[in-house]
């Protein structure tokens, strides 16, 4: 069976396209050139048949990355490992990375990885054209920081307070509002809108909520998703 974009729900296609467009624009903590570059590294990590081992920085392997980089090497090493070896991440590793990268910049970096992965997987599963990231747009990151950022127990990263009153996955990106908006716009289209999460009978299309959760659980198990 041949699948085309015309067969894809319009809201889902729109959410993916809007998320992809942000990858080459200036963000909150990274420039457009840096975001695009990090997205390309995440794309490489998802594509490689023989990935770099999790304990090896991709920046240390010859000819893996461009000679001249806009983003720090440790950022490339981090997004590669997040994209390909998420189950190996530890608190110690996170603290080592954020000793060199602002923790809020790290959150945005995670958002880039979390944009690339589902878009690539969706296209690959349906035989749609491979992801192409647009040219980097000029401009500087906004550096907009919410006032009420606090430390959380449920997350390694800082969050918007009050902390730990919602699930870790819900508060994870809150300290970088634009990243949070993009990720949840995708989640609403790919899975279940946040406001419908409490309704066990909510559905969209031909799958029941129970069937949706069964698929989500199986995907989580296969992807070693701790949540």
């Amino acid at each position: 069976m041949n699948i085309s974009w015309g067969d894809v729900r319009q809201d889902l296609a729109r959410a993916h396209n809007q998320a992809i467009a942000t990858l080459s624009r200036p963000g909150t903590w990274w420039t457009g050139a840096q975001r695009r570059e990090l997205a390309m590294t995440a794309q490489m990590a998802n594509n490689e048949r023989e990935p770099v081992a999790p304990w090896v920085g991709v920046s240390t392997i010859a000819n893996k990355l461009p000679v001249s980089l806009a983003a720090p090497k440790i950022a490339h090493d981090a997004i590669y490992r997040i994209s390909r070896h998420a189950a190996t991440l530890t608190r110690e590793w996170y603290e080592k990375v954020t000793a060199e990268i602002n923790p809020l910049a790290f959150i945005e970096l995670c958002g880039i990885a979390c944009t690339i992965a589902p878009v690539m997987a969706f296209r690959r599963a349906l035989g749609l054209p491979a992801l192409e990231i647009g040219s980097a747009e000029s401009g500087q990151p906004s550096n907009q920081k919410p006032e009420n950022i606090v430390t959380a127990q449920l997350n390694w990263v800082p969050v918007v307070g009050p902390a730990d009153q919602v699930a870790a996955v819900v508060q994870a990106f809150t300290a970088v509002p634009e990243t949070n908006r993009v990720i949840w716009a995708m989640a609403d289209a790919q899975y279940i809108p946040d406001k419908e999460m409490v309704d066990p009978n909510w559905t969209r299309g031909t799958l029941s909520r129970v069937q949706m959760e069964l698929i989500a659980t199986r995907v989580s198990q296969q992807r070693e998703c701790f949540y």
Side-chain angles (χ1 to χ4, degrees):
M1 181 175 64
N2 294 323
I3 300 292
S4 70
W5 278 113
D7 300 309
V8 178
R9 282 191 353 252
Q10 290 187 0
D11 66 310
L12 179 55
R14 182 168 56 251
H16 277 203
N17 289 335
Q18 290 175 346
I20 292 166
T22 69
L23 294 174
S24 52
R25 295 174 185 161
T28 306
W29 300 102
W30 302 99
T31 66
Q34 290 172 326
R35 285 175 57 82
R36 184 182 189 277
E37 195 178 86
L38 291 169
M40 296 290 287
T41 296
Q43 188 175 25
M44 174 177 65
N46 280 284
N47 270 333
E48 290 195 315
R49 290 180 178 273
E50 297 183 7
V52 174
W55 57 86
V56 177
V58 68
S59 67
T60 67
I61 307 299
N63 303 318
K64 283 286 187 182
L65 301 177
V67 175
S68 179
L69 294 173
K73 289 182 178 179
I74 192 169
H76 285 277
D77 292 342
I79 200 167
Y80 187 100
R81 185 164 174 175
I82 291 167
S83 299
R84 195 59 188 253
H85 303 295
T88 72
L89 307 184
T90 65
R91 181 73 179 249
E92 181 182 8
W93 173 85
Y94 164 75
E95 291 175 349
K96 180 179 178 181
V97 173
T98 53
E100 298 188 45
I101 296 175
N102 182 322
L104 301 184
F106 178 84
I107 293 172
E108 184 175 331
L109 181 150
C110 289
I112 295 171
C114 291
T115 298
I116 287 287
V119 170
M120 288 186 63
F122 182 79
R123 290 173 177 235
R124 185 184 296 123
L126 296 185
L128 293 168
L131 170 63
E132 293 185 11
I133 304 171
S135 300
E137 298 183 16
S138 61
Q140 294 301 310
S142 68
N143 292 334
Q144 292 182 343
K145 181 179 177 181
E147 294 182 0
N148 56 331
I149 293 179
V150 298
T151 300
Q153 294 298 314
L154 296 178
N155 300 78
W156 297 342
V157 297
V159 303
V160 168
D164 305 322
Q165 295 189 10
V166 294
V169 70
V170 174
Q171 67 182 15
F173 292 105
T174 54
V176 185
E178 178 58 17
T179 294
N180 193 56
R181 182 194 66 78
V182 171
I183 293 300
W184 281 101
M186 292 182 66
D188 285 355
Q190 292 172 160
Y191 179 39
I192 300 170
D194 184 46
K195 66 179 183 298
E196 307 292 353
M197 201 69 69
V198 295
D199 182 0
N201 297 313
W202 185 88
T203 188
R204 171 171 49 203
T206 58
L207 295 180
S208 69
R209 176 69 185 272
V210 172
Q211 290 171 321
M212 293 170 69
E213 295 295 350
L214 175 62
I215 294 170
T217 301
R218 180 59 174 166
V219 171
S220 293
Q221 186 270 335
Q222 288 292 302
R223 298 287 294 174
E224 297 184 292
C225 172
F226 299 141
Y227 179 73

